[in-house]
Amino acid sequence: MPAVGGFDKGNGKEYPGNLTPYVLVTCIVAAMGGLIFGYDIGISGGVTSMPSFLKKFFPSVYRKQQANESTNLYCKYDSETLTMFTSSLYLAALLSSLVASRVTRQFGRKLSMFFGGILFLAGALLNGFAQAIWMLIVGRLLLGFGIGFANQSVPLYLSEMAPYRFRGALNIGFQLSITVGILIANVLNYFFNKIHGGWGWRLSLGGAMVPALIITVGSMILPDTPNSIIERGRHEEAREELRKVRGVNDVEEEFNDLVAASEASRQVEHPWKNLLQKKYRPHLTMAVLIPFFQQFTGINVIMFYAPVLFNTIGFGSDASLMSAVITGIVNVVATMVSIYGVDKWGRRFLFLEGGVQMLICQAVVAACIGAKFGIDGNPGELPKWYAIVVVLFICIYVAGFAWSWGPLGWLVPSEIFPLEIRSAAQSVNVSVNMLFTFLVAQVFLNMLCHLKFGLFLFFAFFVLVMSFFVYFFLPETKGIPIEEMGRVWKTHWFWSRYVGEDDFVPGGNVEMHKGSNATKNV
Ligand code: BGC
């Protein structure tokens, strides 16, 4: 009986290569690309709960909020304009990740990262100096374009640079810098909110220039990946680069496989249309469902609106921003756990454990909020211990996300696509992610107003579905070189219907191992 998801490593190829200081530094710099994304996620939730910011740009929301003290708390922040401010960026990111696919494929991963940095820089400038709402919105769009480019190219860059045995850990550097970006933003919001004169939000928004500069300069000094150099026909240069990256001379086997993959990729004229072929069905499914599920964990309800949410359950403005700092710290630390464990325990274990953890916490939070706020959203006096219990379970939930769907939502898609569809499929991944980030950001406050505490049960339902999906449909990808990834589908109980023995054979060698590809259940 074929395995549900396990894959016995060690029967495939083992390319030589070390975790060289060169590759480590390169990956750390590249992972900084996640900072711009994270900084923005953290900053928007904070500024939208700052009274001075609301008063200047969203006076009607400000008035409603002031006047609304005693009515239904679930609906206190419900405003289309306010959510549009947060979520518009994700629509821009969605569009630009599609353009980025072409740039990444034809001109290399570096150029996409560079565009990402420059666009984000321009957006941060406009936002920091914004005098009118249009400057705010154009700025948000530019930030979004930047994020689309960076998120399209950075995960691919990392997965291609890393020696396969450390690919998980190095790739998660991207997620780690997302979480660090969120945390820095949360801390800054906390302090800038205290600035007298109410212009602290300018520093929060303009501060995005710092991570933008890091990735812009970083992209200029980083080397291109060997895969990408080969893709543009410069074989000798690519071989040298591969030697340097792996820290060994004997890179022929890996190099030949990269060239073979590149040849296969060259024959593909329409990578987008190609995605629809039967043999890419598992890839397309993952490119759509993984980011969809990642967003339906409900994580961004916490990331964008933690201060607003904490405010709703009775914390003061300061305490709310402080609680966002606490969840931010949990997010960073738990991501490090994932870096430690992903190449040891595997992706599936983390996905499933994280899923159970999130599910339990969502049920508890729903019960807590339901018990006190009821249906009418009028809790009366809330005891201190109550708020502490809610924050505690939200933290355990964030930890569950941060070592499962957070990092793996970016890692797994970036490592399963064969070169010929990699760029296009990664764009599908980014755009689906942005689309649902947009939707969740856009409808959350409204959903909270209508579904009330049931909102947490709504997301819990999806966590249950995605955990079943992982259990039955996602094969383990730990410890398998990217160019050999085809074999995980061929031996899978379900996907082997779509992927034949002759599909995905880089260098024509993989077939040699087919008799010994033992699988096991995990
Ligand atoms: C997700 C973001 C989320 C962040 C939280 C990322 O992987 O794509 O939407 O806000 O994790 O750490």
Side-chain angles (χ1 to χ4, degrees), residues 215-242:
I215 182 68
T216 309
V217 174
S219 72
M220 291 195 271
I221 52 178
L222 287 174
D224 235 327
T225 65
N227 316 49
S228 174
I229 303 174
I230 293 174
E231 227 181 357
R232 281 168 292 147
R234 306 204 299 265
H235 286 198
E236 266 325 295
E237 189 187 328
R239 186 185 274 118
E240 272 316 301
E241 181 59 30
L242 192 59

Side-chain angles (χ1 to χ4, degrees), residues 37 41 175 178-179 182 294-295 299-300 303 331 401 406 410 433 437:
F37 182 37
I41 294 170
Q175 175 72 14
I178 295 180
T179 59
I182 297 177
Q294 190 205 48
Q295 289 309 314
I299 187 66
N300 281 323
M303 293 300 142
N331 198 11
F401 174 87
W410 294 105
N433 196 307
T437 308

Side-chain angles (χ1 to χ4, degrees), residues 403-479:
W403 57 54
S404 63
W405 282 91
L408 303 179
W410 294 105
L411 167 66
V412 172
S414 79
E415 65 185 4
I416 59 172
F417 305 138
L419 188 64
E420 67 271 20
I421 57 159
R422 193 168 297 159
S423 216
Q426 175 69 358
S427 290
V428 173
N429 176 37
V430 178
S431 31
V432 173
N433 196 307
M434 295 300 133
L435 177 67
F436 289 103
T437 308
F438 166 79
L439 282 180
V440 170
Q442 186 63 30
V443 299
F444 163 68
L445 291 177
N446 195 268
M447 276 169 86
L448 181 64
C449 183
H450 290 106
L451 288 182
K452 308 182 167 81
F453 62 88
L455 179 66
F456 296 92
L457 299 178
F458 170 85
F459 287 118
F461 167 76
F462 280 99
V463 170
L464 190 66
V465 173
M466 67 187 81
S467 300
F468 276 110
F469 174 80
V470 166
Y471 185 76
F472 287 108
F473 296 103
L474 189 76
E476 181 58 65
T477 48
K478 167 189 95 172

